[in-house]
Amino acid sequence: MQFELNDVGITRENKVIISNINLAITKGDYLTIIGPSGSGKSTILKVMASLTDPTSGLIKYNGQNILTLNPINYRREVSYCVQQPTLFGDTVRDNLAFPFQIRKIKFDVTKAETLLQEAHMDASYLDHPIENLSGGERQRIALLRNIIFKPQVLLLDEVTTGLDYENKAIIHNLIQQMNVDHQTTIIQITHDETEITQAKQIIEVNDGHLVTGGHA
Amino acid sequence: MGIAVNNQSLFYVALLVLIALFIAWREKLGLDRDMIIAIIRAVIQLVIVGYVLRYIIQLDQLWVTLIIATLIIFNASYNAMKRSALKSFKISLAAIGIGTIITLSGLILAGAIKLVPFQIIPITGMIASNAMIAVGLCFKTMDQAFKDQRQQVIEKLTLGADLKDATLPIIRMSIKTAMQPTIDGAKTVGIVSLPGMMSGLIFAGIDPVRAIKYQIMVTFMLISTASIASFIAAYLGYRKYFNTRKQLKSMN
């Protein structure tokens, strides 16, 4: 089992955000989380991304309690991508170079250009100022930052919300490729009807609880 | 010497305050009370400081001088700390203390000033107050930047960035903003303002060409202090915005 969530809950200032979340995820799974806004979907992803810790329960990654793992190395394996991401610096290059910079590795331009092409952007995009990018392009660049070093798990928080058909298709393709070619586990939150219809495994969250899916 | 401030002339000059009070009263600024308190405080504080300094300078004991210098540093650190949401006295003290000690030691080693109370105490005051302003600005900028750039910092963390990599633009901006007033001051010195040290010496009848040498020394020491203090404050401060699990704390 790659991920195990056992009775995970978060309570803040006497308010229950999520509770009794039980999930078992195997490497290569493609899981879709649905549910109304404010139901706690994003919180589940944030806990799995180690951006916040559960106040009860236990999360295991490859059999180890994630609280005992080095958060930096863990986040490089379990990568979280948000809706309406913030791009860094001035150009696309600044963004694709960032994952190299934090690993103290020289920026691999060829690798970046190949990825850009897979995301339907040519090599000239590297020096595009970020303020000239469209919403869809921004989202694609942000996703490329997450996948340039091929994480084990990709946590996607409504990454296609508000995008047109073409941009959605490009992003779906990139995610699909990660899942099929690299056995990357995908856990996505979505409100998109098409994504929900095409989903293999669905879990529904309502009012901080799992309604369907997962394991009791 | 042409300096002739005596009690009688001070009394006449005090009448100028009445003009300020009259304006405040007429325009209903609501400042009358504040202004009276400020004036009384200023007079009392300065009278006490005057007598204390006279005593210390006459005493001419190194340990007393060092105690006074330490008090100045502690006071500056406490005031700078109040500017920060972190409320860390330790960081404030480290930044202002080290900044002041390094600059002061440099001045003594270079032979610019001597280890005597009438030189050490005023210079320590100038250095520490400049460090206090720099550190206060550094803290304030950092607080604001962690609010404004919260999303960006989180996204960097999600990519597996270490705290320093996730915060570097904020660290740089905080140091830069903290140093800006000192650099701007240095640029306009002598053109816009005739600063305290130089004006004081000229006032006391010293040749302006000699007086500027002191002002040049002050400019150098203020730039050095501002950079050391804000560098230490920024690098010790940014970690406090995260918990031990390298997660950004929620700031309210």
Side-chain angles (χ1 to χ4, degrees):
Chain A
M1 210 54 70
Q2 191 178 32
F3 254 119
E4 271 177 89
L5 276 71
N6 297 323
D7 284 326
V8 169
I10 292 189
T11 305
R12 284 206 188 93
E13 288 157 8
N14 295 326
K15 193 171 177 284
V16 178
I17 317 280
I18 51 171
S19 71
N20 296 104
I21 304 290
N22 289 290
L23 275 177
I25 297 157
T26 316
K27 183 167 171 55
D29 273 0
Y30 198 134
L31 186 69
T32 302
I33 305 178
I34 58 166
S37 300
S39 57
K41 305 185 297 294
S42 290
T43 310
I44 298 177
L45 286 202
K46 280 179 187 148
V47 171
M48 293 176 84
S50 161
L51 289 176
T52 183
D53 288 331
T55 48
S56 60
L58 181 69
I59 303 176
K60 282 187 184 171
Y61 176 69
N62 291 333
Q64 284 180 291
N65 180 351
I66 68 165
L67 297 182
T68 64
L69 301 173
N70 173 326
I72 307 291
N73 295 336
Y74 173 79
R75 289 178 197 136
R76 289 180 188 178
E77 286 191 22
V78 181
S79 199
Y80 175 61
C81 186
V82 298
Q83 180 195 357
Q84 291 181 333
T86 317
L87 295 188
F88 314 146
D90 303 314
T91 61
V92 170
R93 182 188 297 269
D94 291 337
N95 286 273
L96 299 186
F98 188 76
F100 290 87
Q101 200 184 311
I102 59 176
R103 288 170 176 81
K104 316 269 181 270
I105 304 175
K106 195 174 165 278
F107 180 44
D108 185 342
V109 182
T110 324
K111 196 175 178 182
E113 286 175 350
T114 314
L115 261 187
L116 277 173
Q117 270 155 14
E118 285 172 16
H120 295 219
M121 289 180 274
D122 61 46
S124 73
Y125 264 85
L126 263 188
D127 292 308
H128 264 38
I130 54 172
E131 64 263 26
N132 294 350
L133 300 175
S134 70
E137 286 168 338
R138 295 176 74 90
Q139 192 73 55
R140 280 186 264 160
I141 298 296
L143 184 60
L144 295 186
R145 286 189 315 213
N146 288 88
I147 64 176
I148 201 160
F149 278 96
K150 309 281 181 274
Q152 298 295 313
V153 181
L154 203 47
L155 306 169
L156 305 167
D157 199 343
E158 297 193 46
V159 292
T160 57
T161 301
L163 299 186
D164 58 20
Y165 177 77
E166 195 195 335
N167 273 300
K168 274 185 189 170
I170 298 169
I171 286 176
H172 287 156
N173 224 2
L174 285 167
I175 299 169
Q176 200 64 39
Q177 212 175 312
M178 287 295 293
N179 184 237
V180 175
D181 299 352
H182 303 284
Q183 279 291 294
T184 302
T185 307
I186 310 290
I187 303 168
Q188 66 169 7
I189 293 178
T190 187
H191 288 292
D192 187 275
E193 285 301 328
T194 327
E195 284 171 17
I196 296 171
T197 347
Q198 289 172 354
K200 293 179 208 158
Q201 295 164 270
I202 290 188
I203 59 164
E204 191 183 344
V205 182
N206 199 349
D207 207 15
H209 294 83
L210 287 192
V211 184
T212 54
H215 69 95
Chain B
M1 294 283 164
I3 303 176
V5 182
N6 52 36
N7 293 340
Q8 195 187 356
S9 52
L10 264 186
F11 174 78
Y12 291 128
V13 177
L15 296 176
L16 289 173
V17 174
L18 293 179
I19 300 175
L21 281 172
F22 176 74
I23 293 173
W25 167 76
R26 204 192 123 86
E27 295 297 318
K28 299 188 174 57
L29 300 180
L31 283 176
D32 337 20
R33 211 177 100 97
D34 255 8
M35 212 183 279
I36 293 169
I37 292 174
I39 291 159
I40 294 172
R41 270 191 66 161
V43 173
I44 295 174
Q45 280 166 204
L46 288 173
V47 168
I48 294 173
V49 164
Y51 279 101
V52 169
L53 283 181
R54 179 157 81 182
Y55 176 71
I56 290 163
I57 287 167
Q58 281 167 356
L59 202 65
D60 197 12
Q61 287 283 333
L62 183 62
W63 66 273
V64 180
T65 309
L66 292 181
I67 286 176
I68 298 292
T70 311
L71 278 177
I72 293 173
I73 291 171
F74 267 75
N75 211 350
S77 306
Y78 178 74
N79 274 290
M81 174 201 78
K82 287 199 292 191
R83 288 287 201 110
S84 162
L86 295 176
K87 299 270 178 274
S88 171
F89 181 70
K90 271 189 214 160
I91 294 177
S92 195
L93 181 64
I96 294 174
I98 296 172
T100 308
I101 290 167
I102 291 179
T103 307
L104 208 55
S105 310
L107 292 173
I108 295 168
L109 289 175
I113 59 168
K114 292 193 178 68
L115 254 175
V116 288
F118 76 91
Q119 292 194 352
I120 294 292
I121 293 170
I123 294 285
T124 305
M126 286 167 81
I127 297 174
S129 81
N130 200 59
M132 176 185 79
I133 292 166
V135 169
L137 263 176
C138 183
F139 284 156
K140 220 179 149 196
T141 310
M142 200 170 248
D143 278 343
Q144 194 55 45
F146 266 104
K147 273 186 201 139
D148 297 344
Q149 297 177 35
R150 187 174 173 82
Q151 187 56 31
Q152 187 169 138
V153 173
I154 290 176
E155 284 179 44
K156 287 181 173 173
L157 291 178
T158 67
L159 295 172
D162 205 340
L163 303 188
K164 191 181 153 196
D165 284 320
T167 324
L168 209 53
I170 295 180
I171 296 175
R172 288 191 181 141
M173 188 168 91
S174 308
I175 298 175
K176 206 175 151 188
T177 310
M179 289 191 64
Q180 206 60 57
T182 308
I183 294 169
D184 287 345
K187 275 187 203 158
T188 55
V189 69
I191 302 172
V192 179
S193 65
L194 291 181
M197 172 68 110
M198 182 177 161
S199 307
L201 290 172
I202 294 172
F203 211 79
I206 304 280
D207 173 14
V209 178
R210 270 188 73 199
I212 58 146
K213 284 187 190 161
Y214 284 94
Q215 196 54 53
I216 292 171
M217 175 190 90
V218 169
T219 306
F220 290 167
M221 77 185 197
L222 293 186
I223 288 180
S224 130
T225 315
S227 61
I228 297 168
S230 50
F231 174 83
I232 294 173
Y235 272 92
L236 292 180
Y238 82 88
R239 291 174 179 277
K240 296 277 174 193
Y241 290 85
F242 300 91
N243 64 19
T244 51
R245 295 261 304 129
K246 305 198 185 234
Q247 296 161 345
L248 198 52
K249 289 182 194 166
S250 56
M251 294 272 166
N252 296 311

